Amino acid sequence: MAQVSIRLNGYVYSVGCQDGEEHHLYAMARQVESWLQRARTLGGAASESKTLMMAALLMADEIFELKRRPLPDDMLATVEEAKAALRIAEARQERLAQLAQRAEELAGALETSE
């Protein structure tokens, strides 16, 4: 497990992550710091708690907008294909369970007839 130091809102934090994920963690910290900077700009000389609250609202707004954005057509097609594949797999699993049950019944019938 890797340890990295990130700076957010003027404070340094030591954070653990999986080996190889250090760059991703640094990128996330840069993104959070940009939201904090934006929140400081919007809030003026606000308290630290208000700055953190404003940054959280900015993050939530971005997530909300991303969720509302429609998926591209090719991605929608891929999702539909995946759903169809799952339905087929579930039907096959159900059929396999039925066949296994029938095999057990036949084996039981053979045992009792001997």
Side-chain angles (χ1 to χ4, degrees):
M1 176 166 260
Q3 283 290 116
V4 296
S5 292
I6 59 172
R7 179 179 292 274
L8 292 173
N9 206 31
Y11 297 97
V12 176
Y13 300 94
S14 182
V15 181
C17 64
Q18 296 296 322
D19 291 333
E21 291 185 350
E22 296 89 349
H23 293 290
H24 179 65
L25 187 57
Y26 287 129
M28 289 188 304
R30 282 191 302 274
Q31 182 65 51
V32 171
E33 186 60 36
S34 73
W35 279 313
L36 288 165
Q37 178 60 40
R38 190 168 162 214
R40 282 190 292 273
T41 302
L42 292 173
S47 67
E48 182 178 25
S49 61
K50 185 172 180 182
T51 300
L52 293 173
M53 181 270 307
M54 288 295 296
L57 288 174
L58 289 169
M59 289 180 216
D61 180 56
E62 187 170 322
I63 291 167
F64 180 80
E65 290 301 321
L66 286 171
K67 285 183 175 181
R68 285 183 35 173
R69 188 177 302 164
L71 294 175
D73 290 341
D74 60 333
M75 192 177 292
L76 287 174
T78 302
V79 168
E80 290 305 316
E81 289 172 12
K83 286 179 180 179
L86 283 172
R87 284 191 297 272
I88 290 169
E90 288 170 356
R92 287 180 179 163
Q93 185 176 5
E94 185 177 321
R95 180 66 179 141
L96 184 58
Q98 292 170 352
L99 291 171
Q101 177 66 34
R102 181 69 180 134
E104 288 177 12
E105 290 169 1
L106 290 172
L110 283 173
E111 287 177 0
T112 57
S113 67
E114 292 179 353

